[in-house]
Amino acid sequence: MPSPRMRLPCLAAVLCALAPTAHAAPDPAVAGYVFGEARRLCKADGGALWGRSLCGPIMIVDPADRAIVASEADAGGVLVEADGLYTGTLPREAMLANTATGWSGTRWTQLVWPLPLEPNLLRAMLVHELFHRVQPELGLDRPEAGNRHLDSQHGRYLLQLEWRALARALMADDAAVQRAHVADALAFRQARRRLFPAAAREEAALEINEGLAEYTGVRVALARDEERRAYGVYALARFLDAPSFVRSFAYASGPAYGLLLDRADPGWRGQLGADADLGRMLATALHIDLDATPDLAARERRYDPDRQLHAAEEARERQRLERLAAWRRDLVDGPVLMLPLQASGFQFNPQTLAALDDVGTVYPTLRLTDRWGELVVEGGAALVHADRKRAVVALPRGGDGLHGEGWTLALKPGWKLVEGPRKGDLTVTGPAP
């Protein structure tokens, strides 16, 4: 394996190598560059942001064949060293995602190949995932809930108005102008939470889990305040085309609230208790009364003057209701294959999740593992019930229970399919504990 330094004459060469190509395995030279960038960024931070270093083991994994290029040896001694890098293959049963993961006795930052092409996106993503590896040690991981209200017309509309106000706040240099836009953003936020009583708790949890990670990426990856604020505005814009905001919204709002808090109260990161809410923290720092009754209609005209956003959300709602009817027919009324969830691992695209009323969350793309085996959904739909005790997929009439439209099921030895509690349904059962 050639030395990475010999193949990195300039940044442009690295970025060309980062461009996606069909089934291209992680290039050792590019991996070496990525690991070097991660070390440089976390050493430059020096533990200042969160009181501890973000440095740690990184693995880059190719989803085509699960080939690994890692920055360090694993504690289990599975990886093979060559020219300062470590290579091997990630087992099929291990989860594959941009996330923190434990494998072969080591807690890793796992990155899925290919990586972003644009330098700032790459650096922000690196730090985001480095933060996830240490997040539990900082006491900043939270149990997540559904946020299904963010797939409704009113939930989506008020969220996007909040984002528009946050973007203007980030762009404002004058403190009074910035505070006025923040007050508008928080008014939309409070209006949404009055409509949906569970929204405050559910949104706050995801903003801590993913919003803080994205904020950390922006803060550490970018050196200048104007760059960070520009990235914060970009983050608010980039998720507008996401099919769903249910789990992706915090990637947009997290950097905005974090950067605005940096200006309003530089010590805010030391005040993140178990019930922390970034919006409330910003309101406190700027002396904004969240219990005031705002003129919401006037604020709506300010950020949606031609009502185009409102009209777009009305049209989307009509389409959503059609999808809901189809999902309810297939995933609730049945027949279905029912899979109990006991020790589950989820791999999915957070931008595609959708709410099915109060029943649960629909995953158009999913890799789900549990004691019984593995379910893979690609181009179909799986429903994870709100209590997270079971998942279901539509069962073709006369099917074998192992294949359906857009999904396949692989059972572990000793597990089998049996008739479910409702005629026509199937469920899995296994050996006694």
Side-chain angles (χ1 to χ4, degrees), residues 27 41 44 68 77 162 176 221 281 303 319 340 345 347 355 376 388 402 404 431:
D27 187 296
L41 290 165
I68 296 172
E162 177 188 351
M281 293 176 72
Y303 297 95
Q319 297 171 354
Q347 179 181 324
V376 176
R388 295 185 74 86
L402 300 176

Side-chain angles (χ1 to χ4, degrees), residues 130-251:
L130 290 172
F131 175 80
H132 275 320
R133 196 185 65 83
V134 302
Q135 192 169 10
E137 301 169 29
L138 296 170
L140 295 175
D141 54 339
R142 301 286 185 268
E144 290 184 14
N147 281 300
R148 290 185 295 278
H149 62 284
L150 292 178
D151 210 32
S152 70
Q153 178 183 348
H154 296 302
R156 284 177 54 90
Y157 183 58
L158 288 167
L159 178 67
Q160 290 173 87
L161 292 176
E162 177 188 351
W163 284 359
R164 290 183 177 194
L166 286 173
R168 292 193 193 180
L170 285 170
M171 291 186 288
D173 293 318
D174 181 82
V177 173
Q178 185 175 86
R179 183 186 183 279
H181 288 306
V182 169
D184 290 342
L186 294 175
F188 295 130
R189 187 178 178 97
Q190 289 302 101
R192 185 172 68 252
R193 292 179 174 188
R194 283 192 290 270
L195 281 175
F196 306 99
R201 173 182 55 83
E202 295 185 0
E203 291 178 10
L206 192 59
E207 283 182 338
I208 296 297
N209 280 0
E210 294 295 348
L212 287 185
E214 193 72 358
Y215 156 78
T216 302
V218 175
R219 267 298 306 265
V220 175
L222 304 175
R224 297 194 303 274
D225 178 64
E226 59 268 26
E227 288 182 312
R228 293 167 180 161
R229 288 193 290 156
Y231 192 104
V233 174
Y234 162 74
L236 289 164
R238 69 190 287 209
F239 286 98
L240 291 175
D241 292 330
S244 170
F245 299 146
V246 167
R247 200 183 178 278
S248 64
F249 82 96
Y251 295 82

Side-chain angles (χ1 to χ4, degrees), residues 9 13 24-25 54 121 187 220 251 254 262 285 315 329 384 430:
L54 301 176
L121 288 179
V220 175
Y251 295 82
D262 284 343
R329 181 192 67 230
V384 176

